[in-house]
Amino acid sequence: IGLYCAKELLDNGYEVKGTVRNLAKKEEVLNTFKKNDINIKNLSFEILELTSDNGWDKAMQGCEFVMHVASPFRIAIPKNEDQMILPAVEGTRRVLEASQKGGVKRIVLTSSIVSMMSSIRRGQFGPKDWTDINYPNLSTYIKSKTLAERSAWDFIYKNKKKSKMDLVVIAPGGVFGPPLG
C-alpha cells in the first residue's frame, strides 16, 4: 500500500519523504521504483523505527500532510501479542506527536475494516463501531489495528485545542491487485 501511495504522489508532482526501517529497505524501494519507471526526483527517505522516538520530529519538519501506512503484519501468531500491538499503537502515537510538533495539517491513517466489525456477527456496522478486543479468538493483527486507530482518535480529541491537525482514517476491507515490487 505504501509503495502505491508514494507512486501516486510522485506521479502527481508531490515531494515525498518516505520512512524505512533500514538502508536495505531504502534500496529495495528505489530499485522497485526504477523497475517501474517511477520518477524519484522528488523522493527522499528517513530511517525510522515505529518502536523508537529517534528522528520523528526531524522527519516531520516541512511536511504539510502525513500518510501513516505502516503497521506490523505477520500471518503467524506471535508468541507475545505485544510484538505486533506495541509497534502499531506506539508507532501511531509517535507519528501523531511528531506531526503535531511539526505543524502538519492532516494525517491520513490506514486502518482496517477489522477495527470496526470483527466482533459484530450480524447486522450493520459503521464509523461509530469498534471491535471489542476482548471478543474470543481475535487475531493479534485485529487487536493491533483496533488499538492503533483508537489511540489516534484519542490523541486527536485530547489535543484538539493545541492543534488544528485533521485526522482522516481509511479502513480497507481487502487489498487486491498486483504488487509493485
Side-chain angles (χ1 to χ4, degrees), residues 1-180:
I1 294 173
L3 290 174
Y4 271 103
C5 290
K7 176 193 180 312
E8 188 68 23
L9 293 167
L10 290 166
D11 286 350
N12 285 283
Y14 287 91
E15 289 185 39
V16 175
K17 190 184 301 186
T19 62
V20 291
R21 291 182 304 275
N22 55 51
L23 289 173
K25 189 67 175 173
K26 174 184 172 181
E27 291 306 314
E28 182 182 325
V29 171
L30 288 172
N31 289 333
T32 297
F33 282 4
K34 288 174 187 172
K35 286 179 190 172
N36 288 281
D37 294 320
I38 298 167
N39 187 341
I40 58 172
K41 178 182 71 157
N42 290 332
L43 178 63
S44 64
F45 290 93
E46 296 286 340
I47 297 176
L48 298 169
E49 285 281 345
L50 292 173
T51 56
S52 171
D53 290 332
N54 297 335
W56 286 100
D57 291 346
K58 178 182 171 275
M60 295 302 170
Q61 291 174 356
C63 294
E64 288 184 70
F65 308 103
V66 170
M67 297 176 78
H68 179 44
V69 182
S71 191
F73 175 77
R74 294 178 190 91
I75 293 174
I77 298 169
K79 290 179 184 176
N80 180 344
E81 286 187 333
D82 284 345
Q83 290 175 307
M84 282 178 66
I85 292 172
L86 291 180
V89 174
E90 291 178 4
T92 298
R93 179 190 49 79
R94 282 182 177 90
V95 169
L96 289 162
E97 286 176 352
S99 295
Q100 182 181 12
K101 288 178 194 172
V104 168
K105 294 177 185 176
R106 174 173 284 166
I107 302 233
V108 179
L109 171 69
T110 301
S111 185
S112 173
I113 196 169
V114 300
S115 66
M116 291 185 278
M117 51 69 71
S118 290
S119 59
I120 298 173
R121 294 298 175 221
R122 56 175 48 101
Q124 297 179 338
F125 64 92
K128 294 183 181 181
D129 292 309
W130 289 103
T131 291
D132 175 359
I133 61 162
N134 296 308
Y135 193 82
N137 302 316
L138 286 183
S139 75
T140 304
Y141 177 74
I142 291 171
K143 292 176 186 178
S144 74
K145 292 305 279 185
T146 303
L147 291 168
E149 184 184 340
R150 287 196 82 128
S151 73
W153 286 115
D154 289 345
F155 179 90
I156 291 295
Y157 291 132
K158 286 178 186 169
N159 292 285
K160 203 70 164 156
K161 291 181 181 165
K162 280 190 225 175
S163 171
K164 302 238 186 265
M165 186 170 63
D166 289 330
L167 174 65
V168 176
V169 175
I170 58 170
V175 179
F176 303 97
L180 273 178

